[in-house]
Amino acid sequence: MSYIVTKNVNVSWNLCFVNNTYSKLDEIVEHYFNCLEGEVIRENLNNDGLAGYLIAISEFYTFLVDKEKWLKYSYFIASRLREVALIDIKNKNYNFIGGLLDIGFSVSLANKKIGKYTNFRNDINNVLSYNARN
């Protein structure tokens, strides 16, 4: 089953058209999303990678075949991101600002590309602005 509709991907890298590299990139992306799906199903995601997973889904969302399934997976990842952020805020872990910026970027990107997560994005922005003032 294909997760990516490659014929609609506008790839600007010249390398992709040399020696059939385009199909190899498709295989790499396909493998990534197969592995990510397995990790989501098993609920075996590393907290340090959550923002990156949401970024990947957001960037490829237009090309994903089963958008509803990946939207559901993105909600699962976003809920885990929220849990991580709330724990750090509750524990006043001020080393989390870099992580919170990663979360903020990934949620903002998901908001832009998928059209979801407006409230979560606003919550993260409020926490960041509060911490910047204090």
Side-chain angles (χ1 to χ4, degrees):
M1 178 192 287
S2 179
Y3 293 98
I4 308 299
V5 182
T6 56
K7 63 184 176 185
N8 293 330
V9 177
N10 182 12
V11 179
S12 61
W13 307 314
N14 290 332
L15 176 65
C16 295
F17 299 104
V18 177
N19 295 329
N20 214 8
T21 306
Y22 186 74
S23 66
K24 290 180 186 187
L25 286 175
D26 182 45
E27 290 173 25
I28 291 168
V29 171
E30 185 80 22
H31 177 73
Y32 176 84
F33 279 93
N34 281 330
C35 291
L36 179 56
E37 180 176 31
E39 296 299 304
V40 170
I41 290 169
R42 288 188 298 281
E43 296 185 12
N44 189 32
L45 296 172
N46 181 343
N47 286 346
D48 292 336
L50 293 172
Y53 303 142
L54 187 57
I55 289 170
I57 292 170
S58 299
E59 286 291 355
F60 281 93
Y61 190 74
T62 303
F63 309 110
L64 295 171
V65 174
D66 190 348
K67 288 181 178 26
E68 286 301 314
K69 175 176 71 176
W70 287 98
L71 181 61
K72 182 176 96 175
Y73 292 165
S74 73
Y75 273 121
F76 173 75
I77 293 167
S79 69
R80 290 273 304 272
L81 280 170
R82 183 183 290 271
E83 290 171 15
V84 169
L86 290 174
I87 289 168
D88 283 342
I89 292 166
K90 180 181 176 189
N91 294 332
K92 296 186 178 177
N93 179 2
Y94 294 106
N95 294 325
F96 77 98
I97 295 296
L100 196 57
L101 289 171
D102 287 343
I103 292 169
F105 175 76
S106 67
V107 172
S108 291
L109 184 66
N111 178 251
K112 179 180 177 183
K113 299 274 187 163
I114 301 174
K116 304 289 182 186
Y117 310 110
T118 302
N119 291 337
F120 188 19
R121 183 200 61 202
N122 293 342
D123 291 346
I124 294 293
N125 286 338
N126 290 338
V127 169
L128 287 171
S129 64
Y130 174 80
N131 281 295
R133 288 190 304 266
N134 294 323

